[in-house]
Amino acid sequence: GAGVSQSPSNKVTEKGKDVELRCDPISGHTALYWYRQSLGQGLEFLIYFQGNSAPDKSGLPSDRFSAERTGGSVSTLTIQRTQQEDSAVYLCASSSGQGGTGELFFGEGSRLTVL
Amino acid sequence: AQKVTQAQTEISVVEKEDVTLDCVYETRDTTYYLFWYKQPPSGELVFLIRRNSFDEQNEISGRYSWNFQKSTSSFNFTITASQVVDSAVYFCALKRGANSKLTFGKGITLSVRP
């Protein structure tokens, strides 16, 4: 597709389970971002990948959160032992331009509900 | 460190009024990029504008205009003759330069009443 694709669009899980969220960026985009948006809140930065550089993980809220980007394309955000406070919309974005300085294109998000 | 402050949290106007959304940023970098995004009730983030730190020219796009002032570290957004479809949350964001994350402000909820 032409845009950023995220799956699943909705995920309901029980507290303590692990979840994986997937992001397929726009082809050729070197930068990939994950953000979290809780109900009625702003965008909380989680992690940033740029080309082959080491990712900026400074926004990950705990060691239960991790992310990978394989082959410079698809990324997976993993949340282990989910907690109710993890409930949010997880947004992925990608960008091009030198060092990823172009506009960010966002996916529609993955809505996570932890019961 | 970099920071984006959107002091206004909610603004309500009547259709056809002009409205200005404020954005103040903090960064020690000389090269940086500023963005505005719109998030309508549907939830999808829509890109509005990107401006680099070396270009202080104001920009107008239809009813939208942006005023970038490095002297006051501000990048304000004005909607002229607002319409109901402008109702959304508007985010200002800052990127330090290449190979860095994008930091968002907390957003301003704009409601335009008919």
Side-chain angles (χ1 to χ4, degrees):
Chain A
V4 177
S5 178
Q6 292 188 246
S7 61
S9 54
N10 275 288
K11 175 73 175 178
V12 180
T13 190
E14 293 180 349
K15 178 181 173 181
K17 301 280 190 181
D18 296 353
V19 297
E20 285 190 351
L21 308 176
R22 175 188 168 106
C23 173
D24 203 339
I26 293 173
S27 178
H29 279 191
T30 57
L32 187 147
Y33 308 73
W34 282 98
Y35 287 86
R36 177 169 73 173
Q37 187 172 31
S38 301
L39 187 63
Q41 301 299 308
L43 286 94
E44 177 188 4
F45 167 76
L46 297 177
I47 188 169
Y48 164 63
F49 296 89
Q50 172 58 49
N52 295 321
S53 303
D56 178 353
K57 303 180 181 180
S58 62
L60 295 177
S62 77
D63 58 9
R64 296 187 295 106
F65 288 73
S66 62
E68 290 185 341
R69 188 178 186 192
T70 54
S73 180
V74 172
S75 177
T76 302
L77 177 69
T78 301
I79 309 173
Q80 296 178 311
R81 305 181 301 282
T82 52
Q83 303 293 313
Q84 288 183 334
E85 61 262 30
D86 299 334
S87 297
V89 176
Y90 289 82
L91 292 162
C92 177
S94 69
S95 68
S96 62
Q98 186 178 2
T101 54
E103 66 176 278
L104 272 67
F105 292 84
F106 281 84
E108 295 187 353
S110 292
R111 182 176 297 277
L112 175 65
T113 302
V114 182
L115 301 177
Chain B
Q2 58 185 38
K3 184 179 178 182
V4 177
T5 301
Q6 296 182 262
Q8 304 150 310
T9 54
E10 294 185 19
I11 300 175
S12 181
V13 299
V14 176
E15 208 170 18
K16 298 184 183 177
E17 282 186 31
D18 299 347
V19 59
T20 296
L21 311 181
D22 297 333
C23 175
V24 173
Y25 62 91
E26 294 177 30
T27 181
R28 295 177 183 171
D29 299 281
T30 55
T31 301
Y32 52 89
Y33 301 84
L34 294 163
F35 299 76
W36 275 94
Y37 278 85
K38 173 182 180 180
Q39 188 174 41
S42 61
E44 185 177 356
L45 279 152
V46 178
F47 167 79
L48 295 178
I49 190 170
R50 166 184 174 272
R51 176 55 49 87
N52 73 52
S53 54
F54 298 109
D55 182 5
E56 282 194 76
Q57 274 196 331
N58 292 328
E59 182 157 338
I60 298 174
S61 176
R63 296 184 297 107
Y64 295 170
S65 61
W66 290 268
N67 183 356
F68 176 28
Q69 292 196 341
K70 290 177 76 170
S71 60
T72 55
S73 297
S74 65
F75 187 42
N76 297 337
F77 172 31
T78 297
I79 302 174
T80 302
S82 59
Q83 299 177 2
V84 173
V85 293
D86 296 327
S87 298
V89 181
Y90 291 86
F91 292 97
C92 180
L94 168 68
K95 186 173 175 64
R96 291 175 59 190
N99 305 318
S100 68
K101 66 186 180 187
L102 184 65
T103 299
F104 284 84
K106 292 188 180 300
I108 302 169
T109 300
L110 174 65
S111 298
V112 181
R113 309 186 305 277

